[in-house]
Amino acid sequence: MSTPYPFTAVVGQTDLRLALLLNAVSPAVGGVLVRGEKGTAKSTAVRALSALLPAVDIVPGCRFSCAPVAPDPDCPDGPHESGPGGARPARMVELPVGASEDRLVGALDIERALAEGVKAFEPGLLADAHRGILYVDEVNLLHDHLIDLLLDAAAMGASYVEREGVSVRHAARFLLVGTMNPEEGELRPQLLDRFGLTVEVAASREPAQRVEVVRRRLAYEDDPAGFAARWSGDEHEVRARVVAARALLPQVRLGDNALLQIAATCAGFEVDGMRADIVMARTATALAAWAGRTTVLKEDVRQAALLALPHRRRRNPFDAPGLDEDKLDEILDRFPDEEPQDDPDPEPDPGTDPEPDPDGGPENPQGPDDGGGPDGGGGVPPQGGGPQDAQPPAEPAESPADAPESAPQPPAQETGGPEQAAVRAAEPFRTKMLSVPGLGEGAAGRRSRARTAHGRTTGAQRPRGQLTKLHLAATVHAAAPHQKARGRAGRGLVIRKDDLRQATREGREGNLVLFVVDASGSMAARQRMSAVKGAVLSLLLDAYQRRDKVGLVTFRGAAAELALPPTSSVDAAAARLEKLPTGGRTPLGSGLLKAHEVLRIERLRDPSRRPLLVVVTDGRATSAGAVGGDPRELTARSARLLAAEGVASVVVDCESGPVRLGLAGALAADLGGPAVTLDGLRADSLAGLVKDVRTAVTTPATHTTRRAA
């Protein structure tokens, strides 16, 4: 087993370490969601936390880690008799993104259950993580049904497995930690709310801190055991402090004034539901215990709000998580602190600071307090002294260089008029359902019909690989004719592996929605472009809710560009759309050719994900770009190329005014899809858009004939 990187050696990331330690003190806080860019020590800190947790007392031989003093009465390995127990270190169980439902919750041996009538249950990862840590890296990429199962088990403290009338329940209480990179897509607000705390992490821009990250990481990679030994004293001190805080936690008093501060804060920030109030109360209590106090103070409530509320204030996926700290202080100042009771100060653990230490332990060598690096970094403690001999440098002031980079702007292009500044999008609205015809096999989502692991049962087939969803009737039907030949004597069926049938199910898949947006001078009227951006923003919201990948191609001047490669982050697409300028000629054919190139590459990367092309234009084509030739002929040839490859398309017609040329309709006919106006895109309009999309894609020749007539 490899030596893990020490928790106390992680550079900076104060909030991350504090949130993890508070959950170690009080698992009832509800876990941690860590959001941040790649290479910021997210995984390193989580994997190192298990070494700080106390050992777990267990019933010997129990696969579900029952405690000897209070075993689970419903344990599948029970009932357990009282007796001496064993001990093992706390586990850190990692759930991979591609895990199946059976791997998560466990699985029944269906063959033995049918043939012998016994509950032969194989525990899953939830059982392994009981009384330990369950870590989900890239939790935003996990299938929704797995996230639902995971969060339900975390909330109830138990896992339920139901298979064809056979039911198994076992305890599943664990510290849930998820990490994610927001650039790869967001979690739904309902799922965000189920995580107790959320922490935003970022790499430091201070050179001295980055140097320390590199030093420690290189030292760790050169000699993992020796590096861990140098930090063993600090690890022991923090572990002892966690044990002391756990023991003190039941004595912490959450007074009426602190409760009023919590309630007023949640109400003042208009947080939905009551889960935020409960999480804040538990977090503030854990903070007081971590500080060695038995009374919750205003500073505990403030810190709890900063950890528990930012992710609960998002009203749509394009809102950045955050909290107005000035407003928070204004709310808390209305309620003075209660007088602390005359409790005896608990004896601090040897070598620990009695004051709250957000770093979770002693100060680090050259201990930077903000930042991190590629998975935590590495280096050597200063020679000639312990880790507490050095003082951390002052926090660097924020500078313009630290500001996030703006979205890339289009290169200078041939234009037919001056470039106009970007305009704001109009208010988004609920759009009609757009779907790809046919039956796909892509990633689970909510847009188009597909064969999926979950959904309504449509038939049965022989299993390909491991059986996951038994079709009971088909299995019995396959086994029935052979019972006499197999010598059946009792009431039970004689089932063999060849009799088993897998249920085939139909659900919904997510698609690749590629937007091709006209940003030329013909779209430059501010009111019109605002409405166009509002429509695209509405479709992006719809794509977010249906778990699609999205991409953005824009065209103006003399060329088209891929403004956003296909991604699961629809808020990144919204940011690029917001900054999109307009002006210049209209290379519509170039935009369609760029879309064809993007879809070709994506088909190689992910052949099972079907595309939906959304072209937002008034249909005018005034430039052939670098290809040359007649712009209108290039546009028609490019559209027919996409149609010949079976790409499902819809054209959003942006033409306005009393005189309409109908060019967008002609483009839709060449693409083999429908054209819909901006107003017709709304869900409350009268047009039946889903039916039109399916008819248009399956019978493109009809539209071509009509246009020719």
Side-chain angles (χ1 to χ4, degrees), residues 209-245:
Q209 296 178 6
R210 299 174 75 95
V211 166
E212 185 62 23
V213 168
V214 175
R215 282 177 178 164
R216 294 189 192 181
R217 189 69 200 187
L218 293 178
Y220 169 73
E221 291 175 353
D222 288 343
D223 182 10
F227 183 81
R230 289 194 289 274
W231 289 88
S232 60
D234 303 325
E235 295 281 289
H236 174 75
E237 291 173 0
V238 176
R239 190 181 303 112
R241 187 171 175 184
V242 170
V243 173

Side-chain angles (χ1 to χ4, degrees), residues 7-22:
F7 185 86
T8 51
V10 173
V11 177
Q13 306 300 9
T14 302
D15 287 343
L16 169 59
R17 288 185 288 166
L18 176 61
L20 291 173
L21 289 168
L22 291 177

Side-chain angles (χ1 to χ4, degrees), residues 654-681:
C654 303
E655 191 174 26
S656 61
V659 179
R660 295 175 179 264
L661 302 178
L663 298 176
L667 173 63
D670 286 329
L671 285 168
V676 56
T677 64
L678 290 176
D679 290 337
L681 192 60

Side-chain angles (χ1 to χ4, degrees), residues 598-677:
V598 172
L599 295 179
R600 180 184 62 81
I601 295 173
E602 285 302 307
R603 194 177 297 116
L604 296 174
R605 292 176 177 170
D606 189 357
S608 64
R609 188 180 289 269
R610 297 186 295 164
L612 175 62
L613 185 67
V614 180
V615 184
V616 185
T617 181
D618 57 8
R620 289 183 174 89
T622 61
S623 172
V627 179
D630 187 307
R632 290 174 294 180
E633 180 59 29
L634 175 64
T635 298
R637 284 191 286 110
S638 303
R640 288 194 289 268
L641 175 63
L642 288 162
E645 296 187 357
V647 177
S649 306
V650 59
V651 176
V652 179
D653 185 358
C654 303
E655 191 174 26
S656 61
V659 179
R660 295 175 179 264
L661 302 178
L663 298 176
L667 173 63
D670 286 329
L671 285 168
V676 56
T677 64

Side-chain angles (χ1 to χ4, degrees), residues 19 81 108 122 128 178 198 221 228 238 241 254 267 272 315 321 331 384 423 437 442 450 468 506 515 528 641 651 653:
E81 298 181 359
L108 294 169
E122 289 297 326
D128 293 342
T198 295
E221 291 175 353
V238 176
R241 187 171 175 184
L254 185 65
D272 295 333
R315 291 296 181 263
I331 293 173
V423 299
T468 55
E506 182 178 313
F515 294 91
R528 179 200 276 189
L641 175 63
V651 176
D653 185 358

Side-chain angles (χ1 to χ4, degrees), residues 152-163:
D152 285 343
M156 296 186 295
S159 175
Y160 294 84
V161 183
E162 304 284 347
R163 293 289 189 278

